[in-house]
Amino acid sequence: DQLWKELPIALLLRRDWGPTDAVIIPDWTEVAPGLALADVRFSRPPDPRDIDLVVTRIDPARWQFRVWGRADWSRAPVATLAKEADLALAVNGPYFAEDGPLGLVVSDGVSRNRQGSRRAAHFLVDKAGRPRIVNAKNADVSGVEQGFQGFPAIMTAGRTFAYLRTGGRGFDVRVADRRTAACVTKDKHVLLVATDTWTGGLSPP
């Protein structure tokens, strides 16, 4: 009898963490030719809690991408690193340990860290400045000018991977943390997404 009392709650949580029909259309503000910003707010179940995102839309035909870090991988606020590298816009890259990034980093055509065998998500820019995302372990990175490995791959072909919706592979979908993400749209623009909160977080969607 107790099982039947608890079952509706379990179904409610599964519904909240599954796919949603909600569509959020950003209100873009163009801050420079080929560069637009938007602030997005939505509620994250099951609490719900409000999540604030900063979304940047970049036209690769007008802007160049550069993956950059200090020679000794020493840490600093992102704004400080952006100033040192003379960047107009900067976000955090992949996960870091005390001695540097966890996974491949390619900066100005030079590989600064080896490719991790367990990380499949790659953001890569070729010598012509064309960005792409490759979701494959041991991906071919020959001819890459800028790039890094991230983790995890969130979605492909417009669909979120199942383990990020329902849990598994070591992911607790109820734990929220601050996140950054990158994607390439059908029209070849790049979207950079960062959480703008110290408490709400985002974690896998």
Side-chain angles (χ1 to χ4, degrees):
D1 182 55
Q2 185 64 28
L3 174 63
W4 287 106
K5 291 180 180 178
E6 295 178 354
L7 184 59
I9 298 176
L11 288 175
L12 176 63
L13 289 175
R14 184 174 181 83
R15 183 199 70 189
D16 285 341
W17 285 106
T20 176
D21 294 329
V23 176
I24 300 174
I25 301 176
D27 184 13
W28 296 106
T29 299
E30 190 172 42
V31 296
L35 180 62
L37 297 176
D39 293 318
V40 174
R41 169 172 284 196
F42 65 96
S43 293
R44 177 186 186 276
D47 295 342
R49 62 181 66 171
D50 289 334
I51 304 297
D52 294 306
L53 300 179
V54 176
V55 187
T56 309
R57 184 181 63 198
I58 305 163
D59 182 357
R62 293 178 174 268
W63 294 86
Q64 294 180 331
F65 293 89
R66 189 181 186 200
V67 176
W68 188 85
R70 289 172 169 171
D72 60 354
W73 298 122
S74 59
R75 300 184 181 188
V78 172
T80 300
L81 298 177
K83 186 175 181 180
E84 291 178 7
D86 194 25
L87 303 176
L89 173 73
V91 295
N92 274 330
Y95 285 100
F96 279 74
E98 291 299 325
D99 57 349
L102 300 174
L104 179 73
V105 172
V106 180
S107 180
D108 301 333
V110 178
S111 295
R112 294 193 54 192
N113 213 47
R114 64 184 178 139
Q115 193 175 30
S117 61
R118 298 183 62 186
R119 301 179 185 275
H122 298 71
F123 180 84
L124 307 174
V125 181
D126 64 20
K127 293 182 179 179
R130 295 170 298 198
R132 70 187 190 277
I133 290 178
V134 177
N135 181 30
K137 295 180 180 179
N138 302 314
D140 181 8
V141 295
S142 58
V144 170
E145 187 71 10
Q146 313 288 339
F148 62 86
Q149 261 182 300
F151 184 78
I154 298 175
M155 63 192 308
T156 185
R159 180 162 180 80
T160 307
F161 292 111
Y163 67 90
L164 292 179
R165 299 196 307 269
T166 59
R169 299 190 184 183
F171 287 99
D172 183 352
V173 294
R174 294 176 179 81
V175 174
D177 293 295
R178 288 171 290 151
R179 297 292 185 210
T180 57
C183 69
V184 179
T185 64
K186 290 182 179 180
D187 60 0
K188 305 304 181 183
H189 283 70
V190 172
L191 299 184
L192 298 179
V193 182
T195 52
D196 185 23
T197 175
W198 285 93
T199 55
L202 180 65
S203 247

